[in-house]
Amino acid sequence: MAKTPDMTKTMQDMMANFPIDTSSMQDAMKSQSMMGEKLARVALSAAERSTEISARWAKDSISRMGELAAVKQDPSEYAKAMSDFASAAAEMAAEHMAAYAEVAKKVQMDTVDLMLTAGKDMASDAQKVAEKAARDTQTAVKKAATATADK
């Protein structure tokens, strides 16, 4: 039976000759985490504001229901109360939907701002990595040329 050669030492030597800088991976993870945190803040702020709008809308509707449920002397007053409630409900709906639209607009603006900032940061990081790789490659080529010339 043929023995399979042990490639462990060969692989270790080969990997030792490749300059691997893990700091760029650590930096990428850190910036991704920071981006996630900022996006989470935007989302949580929007959720908080939306909850406030919903609570205010519910409170306004309940207070209007109290007026609707009050005893009236004349039967036509019930029809008027219902009409007033319906028009007030429509007005409240428009008001609160506009407030929701403002929340959505703010989330959109904040998200676009974060994405633009992240894009600029990524471009800057990519440029730094490319420059470092070029320097490392030039150094390796010079070493190889020197080693070849010395032989």
Side-chain angles (χ1 to χ4, degrees):
M1 282 173 80
K3 276 188 137 184
T4 307
D6 185 17
M7 300 297 286
T8 306
K9 177 71 174 139
T10 306
M11 289 300 290
Q12 286 175 343
D13 290 344
M14 184 178 74
M15 293 306 287
N17 288 327
F18 282 112
I20 298 173
D21 184 16
T22 58
S23 66
S24 62
M25 290 299 288
Q26 291 172 340
D27 292 344
M29 288 298 292
K30 189 183 297 181
S31 63
Q32 285 288 28
S33 296
M34 287 173 33
M35 174 81 157
E37 180 183 346
K38 290 174 184 176
L39 286 171
R41 280 191 204 138
V42 168
L44 291 172
S45 173
E48 182 180 359
R49 183 73 181 112
S50 294
T51 303
E52 290 170 2
I53 293 167
S54 294
R56 190 174 66 237
W57 194 351
K59 186 176 179 180
D60 292 348
S61 295
I62 291 168
S63 70
R64 299 270 182 193
M65 286 285 231
E67 296 168 12
L68 185 63
V71 175
K72 314 285 190 267
Q73 297 299 322
D74 188 20
S76 65
E77 290 179 12
Y78 286 104
K80 183 177 178 344
M82 191 61 156
S83 174
D84 290 346
F85 177 78
S87 66
E91 189 177 309
M92 281 190 305
E95 216 174 276
H96 291 94
M97 292 309 288
Y100 283 125
E102 286 298 317
V103 170
K105 188 168 89 173
K106 183 172 180 355
V107 167
Q108 183 181 17
M109 289 181 352
D110 290 350
T111 303
V112 167
D113 184 45
L114 283 172
M115 292 300 175
L116 289 174
T117 302
K120 288 177 186 174
D121 291 347
M122 285 173 36
S124 173
D125 291 347
Q127 182 179 3
K128 288 176 188 173
V129 167
E131 289 171 356
K132 185 178 182 317
R135 283 192 307 272
D136 291 348
T137 303
Q138 287 175 347
T139 303
V141 167
K142 286 178 184 175
K143 282 181 184 177
T146 304
T148 304
D150 289 345
K151 289 184 180 183

